[in-house]
Amino acid sequence: MESPQFFKRGPGLFARLVFFVLLSLSLMAVDSRFQHLAQIRSGVATVIYPLQKLVVLPIALYHRAGDFFSTQSQLIEDLAALKSARLEDSSQLQRYLALEAENRHLRDLLGMRQRVDAAAVNATAAEILYLPQDPFSRKITLDQGSQAGLVSGQVVMDGVGVIGQITRVFPWLSEVTLITDKDHSVPVQVQRNGLRSVVFGSGEANDGGEAGGLEMRYLAVSADIQQGDLLVTSGIDGLYPPGLPVAVVTGIERNAAYAFARIKCTPAAGVGNNRQVLILSPLPAAAPPPLAPAEAQPKNKKTKRIR
Amino acid sequence: MPNNPPKQEILLPAKIGVILLSLTLALIFNLLPFSGTALLLRPDFVALGLLYWSINQPQKIGMGAAFVFGLLMDVANASVLGQHALAYSVMTFAALLFHRRMRMFGLRQQAAQAGLLLLVAQCVMLLTGLLAGASFPGLGYFLASATGALVWPPLSLLLRLPQHPKIDPDAL
């Protein structure tokens, strides 16, 4: 199998290895530290987009065929269930509207700023295209991208709670970093007593292959937190709308030897449960945080003017 | 098949189109939406394809192709750009280093060696993941190399099919 001499390429095997190793190492360094490679990534993503679509095509067809062949009695049953659910929801919604009006009125009386209007946040629906299979990061890919007006930083949730945040947008796809990704943080509040904290993704893979866990760090051993507490977004970051369920506390380890309690949580929403997700539109930009006491003065005036 | 050295057969040279098609199919197989245990057991088909071609057609598929397909895998997998590229480059380097020796063995012995090479790629990937701060995904992570070794003999036979010379029916 010895080839003629003129087919041999110049550099030797080892030189080529060194070249490619250095190239990929520098790619990795640039990709993890800077944002310069977004164009390359977007180009490559467009190249493999047809392949990704092709792969999920049979599954999509299967679902569509299932939808097509659903029986009439099934549809009638579904309709009845949905109607009764809607009745229940509408009674709750009316109460909610009344409470919201009352809350606005009370805030006016107290002279507080109005909360960010949750109704102003509208949502786009998207479907999970597939779950990428990297054991080192927790991400999912959605079937909508910058063509549908998505931008990175938007919050993704399902019917139950927060799933994650869009981190990369391609023309027809977008990547969502799950809240369970290592060191992904969400500012939360314990629903029971309003205790504020930040919940971090632990990034650990569990056997289900699905989402790992979450943990609350830097909470004192004596903090008032119980097993089964629901954590909701606090909204103080101006990114997540307040009040969305994030996680449930599943394990607390209070060891006086450490400064902080170890608190394990599991995400409220499940990525494996449903294919449809909601992408929330970005919140109106919050006022920038005061930098120094000297700058705080004009900001207060501004707040008053808005009100 | 187990007799050593294997039955030598003169094969036609592989067409570059066939090689690229097989690697694209491998990429599609890698993109299949598995999860859970099936995902752990799924061999890395792109790595297997690159390994097969770099051993059997080292003039056509080398580290450059490995690097390019690694980048494609990186983007598809939403991992750090260069992670698969590095792993595949190192694996292909080892394959190119040993390709003459490996071709002397039968498919079963080759399978064990291919499994080792796949393990090298997985170790490189694990190392980059750990350096990036990820936690160890558990020993089950290495199962993919074992299943890759199991898949090697049938995959080799399959990829060899288009290279068999057409038998002239008029020849005696």
Side-chain angles (χ1 to χ4, degrees):
Chain A
M1 287 298 271
E2 204 58 47
S3 66
Q5 195 60 37
F6 52 82
F7 275 147
K8 291 221 157 152
R9 274 161 263 172
L13 202 57
F14 195 71
R16 273 187 284 160
L17 174 74
V18 170
F19 172 72
F20 283 117
V21 165
L22 284 182
L23 191 62
S24 38
L25 283 181
S26 48
L27 264 183
M28 266 191 271
V30 173
D31 190 40
S32 52
R33 297 273 172 253
F34 311 107
Q35 301 293 318
H36 302 310
L37 292 178
Q39 295 290 326
I40 297 179
R41 198 180 266 275
S42 178
V44 178
T46 314
V47 170
I48 53 174
Y49 175 70
L51 291 185
Q52 288 170 323
K53 269 297 200 199
L54 192 70
V55 166
V56 294
L57 189 68
I59 301 157
L61 276 181
Y62 170 76
H63 282 296
R64 202 164 293 172
D67 289 347
F68 186 76
F69 288 112
S70 59
T71 58
Q72 195 199 4
S73 60
Q74 179 75 42
L75 286 177
I76 290 171
E77 243 171 62
D78 283 355
L79 198 60
L82 283 175
K83 266 183 183 163
S84 71
R86 191 178 146 264
L87 265 180
E88 257 171 54
D89 287 350
S90 69
S91 74
Q92 279 188 358
L93 191 65
Q94 277 166 20
R95 225 173 48 224
Y96 167 77
L97 286 176
L99 282 175
E100 199 180 40
E102 187 183 321
N103 185 17
R104 193 178 302 135
H105 184 62
L106 286 173
R107 274 174 183 269
D108 264 344
L109 283 179
L110 287 171
M112 283 163 70
R113 265 191 75 169
Q114 294 294 342
R115 285 173 74 114
V116 175
D117 195 358
V121 177
N122 49 19
T124 357
E127 274 193 19
I128 296 175
L129 196 61
Y130 72 99
L131 317 167
Q133 297 143 5
D134 187 3
F136 306 115
S137 66
R138 314 253 143 253
K139 287 182 179 154
I140 55 174
T141 305
L142 301 182
D143 67 343
Q144 309 236 352
S146 56
Q147 294 289 317
L150 301 190
V151 290
S152 75
Q154 282 184 293
V155 177
V156 180
M157 62 179 294
D158 68 0
V160 188
V162 176
I163 288 178
Q165 245 182 308
I166 293 183
T167 42
R168 283 200 197 103
V169 182
F170 302 126
W172 297 283
L173 296 174
S174 50
E175 273 172 32
V176 177
T177 302
L178 302 183
I179 52 173
T180 48
D181 193 61
K182 188 173 172 60
D183 289 340
H184 189 277
S185 51
V186 185
V188 292
Q189 201 171 14
V190 178
Q191 200 188 35
R192 181 171 52 86
N193 56 10
L195 178 73
R196 273 200 305 274
S197 178
V198 178
V199 71
F200 293 87
S202 61
E204 280 165 18
N206 58 7
D207 296 328
E210 199 205 307
L214 296 158
E215 57 188 7
M216 285 169 99
R217 299 173 194 165
Y218 320 124
L219 268 185
V221 175
S222 59
D224 176 18
I225 192 152
Q226 293 169 7
Q227 195 137 348
D229 273 348
L230 181 68
L231 307 176
V232 298
T233 49
S234 61
I236 50 171
D237 54 348
L239 192 64
Y240 289 89
L244 303 177
V246 177
V248 179
V249 176
T250 46
I252 305 169
E253 193 185 312
R254 296 178 206 268
N255 191 339
Y258 300 108
F260 303 114
R262 286 174 57 103
I263 300 166
K264 296 263 171 215
C265 318
T266 44
V271 179
N273 299 349
N274 39 15
R275 291 185 300 137
Q276 278 84 16
V277 294
L278 286 177
I279 303 165
L280 305 183
S281 66
L283 293 179
L291 296 172
E295 289 178 25
Q297 211 57 32
K299 205 190 132 252
N300 280 351
K301 271 185 205 152
K302 204 174 173 186
T303 321
K304 276 191 187 120
R305 222 181 299 132
I306 289 169
R307 184 156 52 79
Chain B
M1 196 165 55
N3 53 343
N4 199 10
K7 191 177 70 175
Q8 289 287 333
E9 194 179 12
I10 298 174
L11 297 170
L12 298 173
K15 293 192 186 76
I16 194 76
V18 172
I19 296 177
L20 286 182
L21 183 72
S22 67
L23 286 176
T24 312
L25 281 178
L27 193 61
I28 288 179
F29 274 113
N30 265 15
L31 291 177
L32 282 181
F34 285 120
S35 64
T37 320
L39 180 58
L40 277 182
L41 288 177
R42 189 212 60 191
D44 190 342
F45 288 103
V46 173
L48 277 170
L50 286 170
L51 216 51
Y52 178 82
W53 292 119
S54 58
I55 286 167
N56 290 289
Q57 301 284 327
Q59 300 296 331
K60 293 195 168 116
I61 287 294
M63 271 181 263
F67 185 81
V68 169
F69 273 89
L71 279 190
L72 289 179
M73 272 305 290
D74 279 330
V75 173
N77 240 354
S79 47
V80 181
L81 216 56
Q83 183 177 315
H84 283 80
L86 177 68
Y88 289 170
S89 302
V90 172
M91 181 193 72
T92 313
F93 167 76
L96 290 176
L97 207 60
F98 296 124
H99 75 273
R100 284 169 220 280
R101 189 183 309 177
M102 277 184 75
R103 270 193 292 185
M104 294 311 294
F105 289 102
L107 283 180
R108 280 185 209 174
Q109 286 97 328
Q110 263 187 25
Q113 298 167 14
L116 273 182
L117 289 177
L118 291 173
L119 200 64
V120 167
Q122 280 205 303
C123 285
V124 171
M125 242 180 282
L126 180 68
L127 208 63
T128 51
L130 290 183
L131 282 180
S135 51
F136 184 65
L139 281 178
Y141 171 69
F142 293 112
L143 277 177
S145 289
T147 49
L150 287 181
V151 171
W152 179 264
L155 194 78
S156 302
L157 291 178
L158 186 73
L159 288 177
R160 201 166 286 176
L161 276 184
Q163 281 173 262
H164 282 296
K166 286 197 179 62
I167 296 158
D168 188 6
D170 297 331
L172 278 171

